[in-house]
Amino acid sequence: GAARAAAEVAGRIDGRDDVSAVGPPRLSASGDTAVLNVVPAASPGSTETADLVHALRDPEFERASDARVLVTGTTAMNADVSQKLSDALPPYLALVVGLAFLLLIAVFRSLLVPLKAALGFLLSVLAGLGAVVAVFQWGWLGSVLGVTEPGPIVSIMPIFMVGVVFGLAMDYEVFLVTRMREAYVHGRSPKESVVSGFEHSARVVTAAAVVMVSVFAAFLGSEEQILKTIGFGLAAAVLFDAFVVRMTLVPAVLALLGRSAWWLPRRLERLVPDLDIEGERLERGAHGGGDAASDGETVGAAAGRLPVN
């Protein structure tokens, strides 16, 4: 019955190296279900404990035990949540980057500029996550930042960082590149456009980045490890994105690409709506209106000199 199957499962689990102890089986009132309390040898959040959960859920383990084995509890639920978030990250990232890529094509009327923006954003996220792993998982500079016990990173951290850093990175991108495209549209050469746009926008991006880094870095004073991790990760990602990606790599790449940076295939140009961020149509209309008014005044003056019967 259930008692015999539970005792057999308990013996097999207790014989594993990654298990510290197994409690005695507790039978239900109906006698067909037994509960075992398993204590892992490693900490609840370690990869060894997550591997133990997966091993106990392995179909081979269930078939060998001649009983249906289910694993639950706080540790197992945390492992399930982490797995769900890990599975959701690739489609979430693809959706966010893909929509931004399409929107930036319409804003800048270019293929290479949005591609560069998306790749730069991914680079910033990877740099931020790498800094978090180095400090909070490997223990680098742990004593300086108050990390007493390095351990696994919170599973929600990557998704949270992608959302926040994406918004800030695209904001800085639009600030910086819009002025460059505006200068290019109004007749400047590609390199002059980069210099002019950088000259006007760099201070805005710098001020915005310093404010956000200061806000996120303030979380390092918290006693909660989760808040410290989130604050440090966001501060590192924004710092890297603003000063390395947006204000170093972006101008350099645009200067190297030259006119091809603003290239858009003709077929795509017909499909993409012209948002006219630089106000080029408005300027043309103003000049056209002025010419029309001038012509009207000339005609009126000529008409005033004609004899009237």
Side-chain angles (χ1 to χ4, degrees), residues 17-106:
D17 295 334
D18 50 3
V19 173
S20 177
V22 179
R26 289 175 292 167
L27 288 174
S28 64
S30 60
D32 58 356
T33 304
V35 177
L36 298 172
N37 186 24
V38 179
V39 180
S43 61
S46 66
T47 55
E48 291 82 1
T49 302
D51 293 339
L52 173 61
V53 172
H54 294 309
L56 296 180
R57 287 175 171 171
D58 194 322
E60 291 294 332
F61 181 83
E62 184 173 297
R63 281 194 291 267
S65 304
D66 195 23
R68 189 179 182 192
V69 179
L70 302 175
V71 182
T72 186
T74 304
T75 303
M77 287 189 292
N78 289 338
D80 292 341
V81 170
S82 298
Q83 187 62 46
K84 286 289 184 182
L85 292 174
S86 298
D87 294 342
L89 183 59
Y92 171 65
L93 194 59
L95 180 65
V96 167
V97 175
L99 290 177
F101 181 73
L102 295 177
L103 181 61
L104 291 179
I105 287 177

Side-chain angles (χ1 to χ4, degrees), residues 196 207 211 215 287 291:
S196 175
V211 170
V215 170
H287 290 324
D291 294 342

